[in-house]
mmCIF file of all heavy atoms in Angstrom:
data_model
loop_
_atom_site.group_PDB
_atom_site.id
_atom_site.type_symbol
_atom_site.label_atom_id
_atom_site.label_comp_id
_atom_site.label_asym_id
_atom_site.label_seq_id
_atom_site.Cartn_x
_atom_site.Cartn_y
_atom_site.Cartn_z
ATOM 1 N N VAL A 1 -42.480 26.583 128.008
ATOM 2 C CA VAL A 1 -41.525 26.619 126.893
ATOM 3 C C VAL A 1 -42.318 26.663 125.589
ATOM 4 O O VAL A 1 -43.296 25.931 125.412
ATOM 5 C CB VAL A 1 -40.601 25.382 126.898
ATOM 6 C CG1 VAL A 1 -39.581 25.482 125.758
ATOM 7 C CG2 VAL A 1 -39.914 25.228 128.233
ATOM 8 N N GLU A 2 -41.885 27.535 124.667
ATOM 9 C CA GLU A 2 -42.552 27.628 123.374
ATOM 10 C C GLU A 2 -41.514 27.817 122.282
ATOM 11 O O GLU A 2 -40.639 28.668 122.387
ATOM 12 C CB GLU A 2 -43.532 28.813 123.360
ATOM 13 C CG GLU A 2 -44.250 28.970 122.021
ATOM 14 C CD GLU A 2 -45.084 30.244 121.960
ATOM 15 O OE1 GLU A 2 -45.067 31.009 122.948
ATOM 16 O OE2 GLU A 2 -45.730 30.480 120.919
ATOM 17 N N ASN A 3 -41.611 26.979 121.244
ATOM 18 C CA ASN A 3 -40.748 27.103 120.069
ATOM 19 C C ASN A 3 -41.567 27.672 118.925
ATOM 20 O O ASN A 3 -42.665 27.178 118.624
ATOM 21 C CB ASN A 3 -40.212 25.725 119.658
ATOM 22 C CG ASN A 3 -38.767 25.548 120.076
ATOM 23 O OD1 ASN A 3 -38.122 26.499 120.501
ATOM 24 N ND2 ASN A 3 -38.263 24.327 119.974
ATOM 25 N N ARG A 4 -41.040 28.725 118.271
ATOM 26 C CA ARG A 4 -41.754 29.312 117.146
ATOM 27 C C ARG A 4 -40.823 29.456 115.952
ATOM 28 O O ARG A 4 -39.652 29.809 116.107
ATOM 29 C CB ARG A 4 -42.309 30.695 117.521
ATOM 30 C CG ARG A 4 -43.506 30.644 118.447
ATOM 31 C CD ARG A 4 -44.188 31.999 118.542
ATOM 32 N NE ARG A 4 -43.337 32.989 119.211
ATOM 33 C CZ ARG A 4 -43.162 34.218 118.773
ATOM 34 N NH1 ARG A 4 -43.705 34.612 117.632
ATOM 35 N NH2 ARG A 4 -42.418 35.062 119.447
ATOM 36 N N ASP A 5 -41.379 29.174 114.762
ATOM 37 C CA ASP A 5 -40.627 29.395 113.534
ATOM 38 C C ASP A 5 -40.794 30.847 113.107
ATOM 39 O O ASP A 5 -41.910 31.384 113.101
ATOM 40 C CB ASP A 5 -41.127 28.468 112.419
ATOM 41 C CG ASP A 5 -40.800 27.007 112.696
ATOM 42 O OD1 ASP A 5 -39.733 26.760 113.297
ATOM 43 O OD2 ASP A 5 -41.629 26.138 112.349
ATOM 44 N N LEU A 6 -39.697 31.489 112.735
ATOM 45 C CA LEU A 6 -39.716 32.868 112.274
ATOM 46 C C LEU A 6 -39.514 32.908 110.766
ATOM 47 O O LEU A 6 -39.226 31.885 110.125
ATOM 48 C CB LEU A 6 -38.628 33.679 112.974
ATOM 49 C CG LEU A 6 -38.654 33.671 114.507
ATOM 50 C CD1 LEU A 6 -37.444 34.440 115.039
ATOM 51 C CD2 LEU A 6 -39.952 34.270 115.031
ATOM 52 N N GLN A 7 -39.647 34.092 110.186
ATOM 53 C CA GLN A 7 -39.373 34.234 108.756
ATOM 54 C C GLN A 7 -37.928 33.880 108.471
ATOM 55 O O GLN A 7 -37.037 34.150 109.290
ATOM 56 C CB GLN A 7 -39.643 35.669 108.309
ATOM 57 C CG GLN A 7 -41.112 36.048 108.270
ATOM 58 C CD GLN A 7 -41.299 37.448 107.715
ATOM 59 O OE1 GLN A 7 -40.345 38.212 107.584
ATOM 60 N NE2 GLN A 7 -42.533 37.773 107.364
ATOM 61 N N ARG A 8 -37.705 33.269 107.326
ATOM 62 C CA ARG A 8 -36.344 32.910 106.953
ATOM 63 C C ARG A 8 -35.490 34.165 106.789
ATOM 64 O O ARG A 8 -36.007 35.242 106.499
ATOM 65 C CB ARG A 8 -36.341 32.099 105.653
ATOM 66 C CG ARG A 8 -36.955 30.721 105.811
ATOM 67 C CD ARG A 8 -37.026 29.965 104.500
ATOM 68 N NE ARG A 8 -37.531 28.619 104.696
ATOM 69 C CZ ARG A 8 -36.751 27.551 104.916
ATOM 70 N NH1 ARG A 8 -35.429 27.699 104.916
ATOM 71 N NH2 ARG A 8 -37.290 26.373 105.103
ATOM 72 N N ASP A 9 -34.180 34.018 106.978
ATOM 73 C CA ASP A 9 -33.303 35.179 106.847
ATOM 74 C C ASP A 9 -33.076 35.503 105.372
ATOM 75 O O ASP A 9 -33.650 34.856 104.480
ATOM 76 C CB ASP A 9 -31.973 34.947 107.573
ATOM 77 C CG ASP A 9 -31.154 33.812 106.970
ATOM 78 O OD1 ASP A 9 -31.432 33.403 105.830
ATOM 79 O OD2 ASP A 9 -30.217 33.331 107.645
ATOM 80 N N ALA A 10 -32.225 36.496 105.094
ATOM 81 C CA ALA A 10 -32.025 36.981 103.721
ATOM 82 C C ALA A 10 -31.472 35.902 102.801
ATOM 83 O O ALA A 10 -31.651 35.970 101.574
ATOM 84 C CB ALA A 10 -31.085 38.190 103.743
ATOM 85 N N LYS A 11 -30.794 34.908 103.363
ATOM 86 C CA LYS A 11 -30.226 33.825 102.545
ATOM 87 C C LYS A 11 -31.134 32.609 102.494
ATOM 88 O O LYS A 11 -30.731 31.553 102.018
ATOM 89 C CB LYS A 11 -28.851 33.437 103.087
ATOM 90 C CG LYS A 11 -27.818 34.557 102.962
ATOM 91 C CD LYS A 11 -26.445 34.081 103.419
ATOM 92 C CE LYS A 11 -25.407 35.193 103.244
ATOM 93 N NZ LYS A 11 -24.046 34.753 103.670
ATOM 94 N N GLY A 12 -32.361 32.770 103.039
ATOM 95 C CA GLY A 12 -33.313 31.670 102.958
ATOM 96 C C GLY A 12 -33.163 30.635 104.048
ATOM 97 O O GLY A 12 -33.834 29.585 104.015
ATOM 98 N N ARG A 13 -32.318 30.888 105.034
ATOM 99 C CA ARG A 13 -32.121 29.914 106.105
ATOM 100 C C ARG A 13 -33.236 30.034 107.131
ATOM 101 O O ARG A 13 -33.689 31.138 107.438
ATOM 102 C CB ARG A 13 -30.767 30.129 106.773
ATOM 103 C CG ARG A 13 -29.589 29.786 105.857
ATOM 104 C CD ARG A 13 -28.260 30.163 106.466
ATOM 105 N NE ARG A 13 -28.152 31.609 106.700
ATOM 106 C CZ ARG A 13 -27.003 32.237 106.944
ATOM 107 N NH1 ARG A 13 -25.871 31.550 106.998
ATOM 108 N NH2 ARG A 13 -26.998 33.543 107.130
ATOM 109 N N PRO A 14 -33.660 28.905 107.714
ATOM 110 C CA PRO A 14 -34.745 28.950 108.701
ATOM 111 C C PRO A 14 -34.287 29.622 109.995
ATOM 112 O O PRO A 14 -33.117 29.572 110.361
ATOM 113 C CB PRO A 14 -35.077 27.463 108.934
ATOM 114 C CG PRO A 14 -33.825 26.731 108.563
ATOM 115 C CD PRO A 14 -33.204 27.524 107.455
ATOM 116 N N ARG A 15 -35.246 30.289 110.666
ATOM 117 C CA ARG A 15 -34.959 30.947 111.944
ATOM 118 C C ARG A 15 -36.019 30.527 112.950
ATOM 119 O O ARG A 15 -37.197 30.379 112.602
ATOM 120 C CB ARG A 15 -34.969 32.475 111.788
ATOM 121 C CG ARG A 15 -33.874 33.010 110.888
ATOM 122 C CD ARG A 15 -34.081 34.479 110.546
ATOM 123 N NE ARG A 15 -34.021 35.317 111.747
ATOM 124 C CZ ARG A 15 -34.995 36.136 112.127
ATOM 125 N NH1 ARG A 15 -36.109 36.233 111.418
ATOM 126 N NH2 ARG A 15 -34.866 36.861 113.224
ATOM 127 N N THR A 16 -35.561 30.351 114.195
ATOM 128 C CA THR A 16 -36.492 29.946 115.251
ATOM 129 C C THR A 16 -36.299 30.830 116.477
ATOM 130 O O THR A 16 -35.238 31.423 116.682
ATOM 131 C CB THR A 16 -36.255 28.484 115.682
ATOM 132 O OG1 THR A 16 -34.929 28.364 116.207
ATOM 133 C CG2 THR A 16 -36.443 27.527 114.515
ATOM 134 N N LEU A 17 -37.358 30.919 117.275
ATOM 135 C CA LEU A 17 -37.305 31.614 118.556
ATOM 136 C C LEU A 17 -37.815 30.666 119.630
ATOM 137 O O LEU A 17 -38.949 30.167 119.537
ATOM 138 C CB LEU A 17 -38.165 32.878 118.537
ATOM 139 C CG LEU A 17 -38.388 33.547 119.899
ATOM 140 C CD1 LEU A 17 -37.062 34.037 120.485
ATOM 141 C CD2 LEU A 17 -39.381 34.702 119.784
ATOM 142 N N THR A 18 -36.960 30.408 120.603
ATOM 143 C CA THR A 18 -37.375 29.605 121.752
ATOM 144 C C THR A 18 -37.661 30.559 122.900
ATOM 145 O O THR A 18 -36.753 31.231 123.397
ATOM 146 C CB THR A 18 -36.278 28.603 122.158
ATOM 147 O OG1 THR A 18 -35.988 27.755 121.038
ATOM 148 C CG2 THR A 18 -36.726 27.763 123.344
ATOM 149 N N SER A 19 -38.919 30.668 123.281
ATOM 150 C CA SER A 19 -39.333 31.540 124.379
ATOM 151 C C SER A 19 -39.596 30.689 125.611
ATOM 152 O O SER A 19 -40.393 29.749 125.566
ATOM 153 C CB SER A 19 -40.608 32.309 124.010
ATOM 154 O OG SER A 19 -40.374 33.173 122.930
ATOM 155 N N ILE A 20 -38.927 31.037 126.681
ATOM 156 C CA ILE A 20 -39.056 30.282 127.931
ATOM 157 C C ILE A 20 -39.459 31.265 129.019
ATOM 158 O O ILE A 20 -38.857 32.341 129.146
ATOM 159 C CB ILE A 20 -37.729 29.586 128.291
ATOM 160 C CG1 ILE A 20 -37.366 28.578 127.195
ATOM 161 C CG2 ILE A 20 -37.816 28.916 129.657
ATOM 162 C CD1 ILE A 20 -35.999 27.962 127.355
ATOM 163 N N THR A 21 -40.450 30.935 129.772
ATOM 164 C CA THR A 21 -40.896 31.774 130.887
ATOM 165 C C THR A 21 -40.447 31.131 132.189
ATOM 166 O O THR A 21 -40.726 29.948 132.427
ATOM 167 C CB THR A 21 -42.421 31.935 130.883
ATOM 168 O OG1 THR A 21 -42.825 32.529 129.649
ATOM 169 C CG2 THR A 21 -42.868 32.826 132.038
ATOM 170 N N ILE A 22 -39.726 31.908 133.008
ATOM 171 C CA ILE A 22 -39.307 31.415 134.320
ATOM 172 C C ILE A 22 -40.058 32.189 135.392
ATOM 173 O O ILE A 22 -40.539 33.300 135.157
ATOM 174 C CB ILE A 22 -37.785 31.549 134.525
ATOM 175 C CG1 ILE A 22 -37.336 33.017 134.413
ATOM 176 C CG2 ILE A 22 -37.033 30.677 133.528
ATOM 177 C CD1 ILE A 22 -35.850 33.227 134.715
ATOM 178 N N THR A 23 -40.173 31.592 136.576
ATOM 179 C CA THR A 23 -40.984 32.203 137.624
ATOM 180 C C THR A 23 -40.371 31.989 138.999
ATOM 181 O O THR A 23 -39.596 31.037 139.200
ATOM 182 C CB THR A 23 -42.415 31.618 137.604
ATOM 183 O OG1 THR A 23 -43.198 32.238 138.629
ATOM 184 C CG2 THR A 23 -42.396 30.115 137.832
ATOM 185 N N ASP A 24 -40.718 32.895 139.908
ATOM 186 C CA ASP A 24 -40.361 32.714 141.316
ATOM 187 C C ASP A 24 -41.589 32.310 142.123
ATOM 188 O O ASP A 24 -41.569 32.328 143.360
ATOM 189 C CB ASP A 24 -39.748 33.996 141.890
ATOM 190 C CG ASP A 24 -40.705 35.186 141.831
ATOM 191 O OD1 ASP A 24 -41.881 34.998 141.439
ATOM 192 O OD2 ASP A 24 -40.293 36.308 142.175
ATOM 193 N N GLY A 25 -42.670 31.983 141.416
ATOM 194 C CA GLY A 25 -43.911 31.620 142.072
ATOM 195 C C GLY A 25 -44.895 32.755 142.105
ATOM 196 O O GLY A 25 -46.101 32.542 142.276
ATOM 197 N N THR A 26 -44.399 33.974 141.928
ATOM 198 C CA THR A 26 -45.270 35.154 141.938
ATOM 199 C C THR A 26 -45.128 35.946 140.642
ATOM 200 O O THR A 26 -46.115 36.274 139.986
ATOM 201 C CB THR A 26 -44.934 36.070 143.129
ATOM 202 O OG1 THR A 26 -45.049 35.328 144.338
ATOM 203 C CG2 THR A 26 -45.878 37.265 143.178
ATOM 204 N N SER A 27 -43.881 36.265 140.296
ATOM 205 C CA SER A 27 -43.604 37.056 139.092
ATOM 206 C C SER A 27 -42.940 36.181 138.039
ATOM 207 O O SER A 27 -42.461 35.073 138.327
ATOM 208 C CB SER A 27 -42.694 38.238 139.436
ATOM 209 O OG SER A 27 -43.281 39.054 140.420
ATOM 210 N N GLU A 28 -42.916 36.710 136.811
ATOM 211 C CA GLU A 28 -42.350 35.961 135.695
ATOM 212 C C GLU A 28 -41.306 36.794 134.962
ATOM 213 O O GLU A 28 -41.284 38.022 135.048
ATOM 214 C CB GLU A 28 -43.456 35.551 134.713
ATOM 215 C CG GLU A 28 -44.477 34.601 135.306
ATOM 216 C CD GLU A 28 -45.561 34.234 134.308
ATOM 217 O OE1 GLU A 28 -45.645 34.924 133.250
ATOM 218 O OE2 GLU A 28 -46.301 33.270 134.558
ATOM 219 N N LEU A 29 -40.447 36.092 134.227
ATOM 220 C CA LEU A 29 -39.426 36.718 133.396
ATOM 221 C C LEU A 29 -39.268 35.867 132.153
ATOM 222 O O LEU A 29 -39.227 34.625 132.239
ATOM 223 C CB LEU A 29 -38.096 36.807 134.163
ATOM 224 C CG LEU A 29 -36.923 37.490 133.460
ATOM 225 C CD1 LEU A 29 -37.182 38.989 133.312
ATOM 226 C CD2 LEU A 29 -35.633 37.269 134.256
ATOM 227 N N ASP A 30 -39.182 36.503 130.993
ATOM 228 C CA ASP A 30 -39.038 35.766 129.738
ATOM 229 C C ASP A 30 -37.573 35.584 129.385
ATOM 230 O O ASP A 30 -36.742 36.481 129.599
ATOM 231 C CB ASP A 30 -39.727 36.521 128.599
ATOM 232 C CG ASP A 30 -41.242 36.522 128.748
ATOM 233 O OD1 ASP A 30 -41.758 35.627 129.444
ATOM 234 O OD2 ASP A 30 -41.888 37.412 128.175
ATOM 235 N N LEU A 31 -37.269 34.417 128.811
ATOM 236 C CA LEU A 31 -35.952 34.149 128.234
ATOM 237 C C LEU A 31 -36.135 33.994 126.728
ATOM 238 O O LEU A 31 -37.114 33.391 126.278
ATOM 239 C CB LEU A 31 -35.338 32.872 128.797
ATOM 240 C CG LEU A 31 -35.330 32.678 130.314
ATOM 241 C CD1 LEU A 31 -34.654 31.355 130.671
ATOM 242 C CD2 LEU A 31 -34.630 33.827 131.003
ATOM 243 N N ALA A 32 -35.215 34.512 125.950
ATOM 244 C CA ALA A 32 -35.312 34.422 124.498
ATOM 245 C C ALA A 32 -34.026 33.820 123.936
ATOM 246 O O ALA A 32 -32.926 34.315 124.214
ATOM 247 C CB ALA A 32 -35.554 35.804 123.891
ATOM 248 N N PHE A 33 -34.188 32.740 123.139
ATOM 249 C CA PHE A 33 -33.055 32.106 122.462
ATOM 250 C C PHE A 33 -33.384 32.021 120.972
ATOM 251 O O PHE A 33 -34.389 31.403 120.584
ATOM 252 C CB PHE A 33 -32.809 30.692 123.003
ATOM 253 C CG PHE A 33 -32.388 30.636 124.438
ATOM 254 C CD1 PHE A 33 -33.320 30.449 125.442
ATOM 255 C CD2 PHE A 33 -31.052 30.773 124.779
ATOM 256 C CE1 PHE A 33 -32.932 30.386 126.770
ATOM 257 C CE2 PHE A 33 -30.649 30.709 126.112
ATOM 258 C CZ PHE A 33 -31.595 30.525 127.110
ATOM 259 N N PHE A 34 -32.568 32.646 120.135
ATOM 260 C CA PHE A 34 -32.789 32.621 118.692
ATOM 261 C C PHE A 34 -31.948 31.511 118.061
ATOM 262 O O PHE A 34 -30.741 31.381 118.348
ATOM 263 C CB PHE A 34 -32.433 33.968 118.063
ATOM 264 C CG PHE A 34 -33.380 35.072 118.446
ATOM 265 C CD1 PHE A 34 -33.118 35.878 119.548
ATOM 266 C CD2 PHE A 34 -34.548 35.284 117.718
ATOM 267 C CE1 PHE A 34 -33.997 36.882 119.907
ATOM 268 C CE2 PHE A 34 -35.427 36.294 118.071
ATOM 269 C CZ PHE A 34 -35.162 37.093 119.172
ATOM 270 N N ASN A 35 -32.612 30.724 117.224
ATOM 271 C CA ASN A 35 -31.950 29.634 116.484
ATOM 272 C C ASN A 35 -31.247 28.656 117.412
ATOM 273 O O ASN A 35 -30.172 28.136 117.111
ATOM 274 C CB ASN A 35 -30.945 30.210 115.475
ATOM 275 C CG ASN A 35 -31.608 31.090 114.440
ATOM 276 O OD1 ASN A 35 -32.760 30.857 114.066
ATOM 277 N ND2 ASN A 35 -30.900 32.107 113.984
ATOM 278 N N GLN A 36 -31.828 28.429 118.564
ATOM 279 C CA GLN A 36 -31.269 27.463 119.527
ATOM 280 C C GLN A 36 -32.418 26.628 120.100
ATOM 281 O O GLN A 36 -32.634 26.570 121.313
ATOM 282 C CB GLN A 36 -30.511 28.186 120.650
ATOM 283 C CG GLN A 36 -29.294 28.959 120.166
ATOM 284 C CD GLN A 36 -28.539 29.633 121.302
ATOM 285 O OE1 GLN A 36 -28.726 29.318 122.471
ATOM 286 N NE2 GLN A 36 -27.666 30.563 120.952
ATOM 287 N N SER A 37 -33.155 25.995 119.220
ATOM 288 C CA SER A 37 -34.341 25.259 119.649
ATOM 289 C C SER A 37 -34.009 24.110 120.591
ATOM 290 O O SER A 37 -34.866 23.660 121.359
ATOM 291 C CB SER A 37 -35.096 24.720 118.416
ATOM 292 O OG SER A 37 -34.239 23.918 117.617
ATOM 293 N N TRP A 38 -32.760 23.668 120.567
ATOM 294 C CA TRP A 38 -32.369 22.570 121.456
ATOM 295 C C TRP A 38 -32.383 22.971 122.931
ATOM 296 O O TRP A 38 -32.328 22.119 123.822
ATOM 297 C CB TRP A 38 -30.976 22.054 121.089
ATOM 298 C CG TRP A 38 -29.918 23.120 121.017
ATOM 299 C CD1 TRP A 38 -29.574 23.844 119.921
ATOM 300 C CD2 TRP A 38 -29.091 23.592 122.083
ATOM 301 N NE1 TRP A 38 -28.579 24.741 120.218
ATOM 302 C CE2 TRP A 38 -28.254 24.603 121.550
ATOM 303 C CE3 TRP A 38 -28.965 23.259 123.429
ATOM 304 C CZ2 TRP A 38 -27.319 25.287 122.313
ATOM 305 C CZ3 TRP A 38 -28.024 23.923 124.192
ATOM 306 C CH2 TRP A 38 -27.223 24.935 123.642
#
């Protein structure tokens, strides 16, 4: 799991990207959640 801060939007509000990597033990797949750090 990785949380990253992104550039603020046009109104100056903070933006985040939560990147989560899931696996079946062999291969991986990324999950992306914007502004949902929880």
Side-chain angles (χ1 to χ4, degrees):
V1 182
E2 179 187 2
N3 256 350
R4 286 192 293 135
D5 292 326
L6 304 176
Q7 289 184 347
R8 292 176 176 268
D9 64 17
K11 295 184 178 181
R13 292 173 298 195
R15 295 169 63 236
T16 62
L17 169 63
T18 302
S19 296
I20 298 173
T21 301
I22 60 176
T23 181
D24 61 5
T26 303
S27 302
E28 296 179 347
L29 182 69
D30 291 338
L31 311 181
F33 295 94
F34 291 92
N35 299 328
Q36 296 182 16
S37 56
W38 53 270

